[in-house]
């Protein structure tokens, strides 16, 4: 079972920042937080990951709370192409470790 | 350049047949995976291979047999196909120990 909790769906206006929350209250000290998204009918796409510091890349920013029990993925200027299911995943980084996809958040970007 | 490719994209077949799906990655990764996404859209890992060695083998019927001829390829052979095997199958790759996996476009398998 996935070890994260996400809202099933969210709406965001085009051009605004989309903030997607994730709860992972049972995360262990050496587990990373990963975010992926799946645009309709495509393979999942890796977005970003972090351990305890906030991270930013060309796609998004990841804000992890100090206690690491929750995080927020921020898409700074959402476009229609960001409409997708977003998955928050916690996982170790070992050879035997796997990422477990939950139900994710279906993000609708509204024109 | 396609990083992770799968063939075929669509596969329609009859119950009881045997079929294969091929996957190739040109990212130089040493770990490859197979996932199944059913009609309810749940994405579940089936297998992972690291340098041709089977690492993860989830509870998958033994009708499913992955084969890795080299670390750039991971094929999935399915024997005696059943209706419940209908799904989209995704291949992925990563560097060992990295959770950043790169997925292929998927193969939609329909068993009639």
């Amino acid at each position: 079972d996935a070890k994260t909790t996400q809202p099933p769906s969210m709406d965001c206006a085009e051009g605004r920042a989309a903030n997607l929350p994730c709860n992972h209250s049972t995360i262990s000290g050496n587990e990373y937080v990963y975010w992926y998204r799946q645009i309709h009918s495509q393979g999942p796409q890796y977005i970003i990951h972090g351990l305890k510091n906030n991270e930013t890349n060309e796609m998004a920013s990841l804000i992890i709370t100090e206690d690491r029990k929750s995080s927020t993925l921020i898409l700074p200027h959402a476009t229609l192409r960001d409409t997708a299911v977003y998955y928050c995943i916690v996982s170790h980084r070992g050879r035997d470790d796997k990422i477990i996809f939950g139900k994710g958040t279906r993000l609708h970007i509204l024109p | 350049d396609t990083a992770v490719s799968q063939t075929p994209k669509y596969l329609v077949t009859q119950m009881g047949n045997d079929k294969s799906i091929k996957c190739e990655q040109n990212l130089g990764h040493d770990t490859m995976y197979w996932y199944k996404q059913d009609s309810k859209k749940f994405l579940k890992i089936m297998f992972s291979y690291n340098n041709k060695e089977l690492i993860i083998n989830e509870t998958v019927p033994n009708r499913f047999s992955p084969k890795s001829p080299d670390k750039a390829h991971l094929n999935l052979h399915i024997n005696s196909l059943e209706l419940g095997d209908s799904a989209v199958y995704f291949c992925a790759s990563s560097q060992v120990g990295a959770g950043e996996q790169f997925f292929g476009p998927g193969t939609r398998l329909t068993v009639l």
Side-chain angles (χ1 to χ4, degrees), chain A residues 10-34:
Chain A
M10 292 182 63
D11 292 339
C12 179
E14 189 177 17
R16 305 296 294 268
N19 296 281
L20 292 94
C22 179
N23 284 324
H24 31 80
S25 58
T26 61
I27 192 170
S28 64
N30 56 357
E31 283 186 305
Y32 287 74
V33 179
Y34 293 90

Side-chain angles (χ1 to χ4, degrees), chain A residues 29-46:
Chain A
N30 56 357
E31 283 186 305
Y32 287 74
V33 179
Y34 293 90
W35 282 83
Y36 282 77
R37 72 180 182 184
Q38 187 173 24
I39 296 170
H40 179 63
S41 297
Q42 298 182 19
Q45 178 187 23
Y46 163 79

Side-chain angles (χ1 to χ4, degrees), chain A residues 60-105:
Chain A
S61 294
L62 173 61
I63 308 298
I64 303 173
T65 58
E66 194 168 342
D67 63 7
R68 303 212 321 126
K69 293 184 177 182
S70 65
S71 60
T72 301
L73 178 75
I74 301 172
L75 307 177
H77 305 287
T79 71
L80 295 177
R81 288 178 294 181
D82 292 322
T83 293
V85 178
Y86 287 77
Y87 298 97
C88 170
I89 297 159
V90 295
S91 178
H92 298 282
R93 300 188 75 182
R95 191 183 76 153
D96 298 346
D97 294 306
K98 54 194 174 188
I99 58 174
I100 299 175
F101 288 84
K103 297 180 181 179
T105 296

Side-chain angles (χ1 to χ4, degrees), chain B residues 3-112:
Chain B
V4 182
S5 59
Q6 296 178 227
T7 54
K9 187 170 176 62
Y10 299 96
L11 186 53
V12 181
T13 188
Q14 299 287 332
M15 281 176 55
N17 285 350
D18 303 338
K19 291 293 179 184
S20 292
I21 306 172
K22 295 185 177 182
C23 178
E24 177 181 1
Q25 55 94 5
N26 63 5
L27 298 168
H29 290 161
D30 55 14
T31 305
M32 296 184 71
Y33 311 80
W34 276 109
Y35 288 83
K36 178 181 180 181
Q37 188 166 40
D38 60 24
S39 58
K40 295 183 179 179
K41 303 298 184 183
F42 290 119
L43 191 62
K44 294 184 179 179
I45 189 167
M46 301 173 69
F47 304 101
S48 78
Y49 268 76
N50 172 250
N51 281 322
K52 303 196 300 176
E53 178 186 357
L54 180 65
I55 302 299
I56 295 173
N57 185 351
E58 293 294 285
T59 308
V60 177
N62 56 15
R63 298 182 294 104
F64 290 77
S65 52
K67 287 185 172 53
S68 182
D70 56 61
K71 71 176 189 179
H73 296 83
L74 181 62
N75 304 322
L76 184 65
H77 188 76
I78 315 171
N79 290 327
S80 303
L81 277 155
E82 300 177 356
L83 293 176
D85 297 333
S86 295
V88 181
Y89 292 84
F90 289 101
C91 175
S93 73
S94 73
Q95 277 302 109
V96 65
E100 307 94 279
Q101 296 182 16
F102 294 81
F103 284 76
T107 295
R108 182 173 294 276
L109 171 65
T110 302
V111 182
L112 304 176

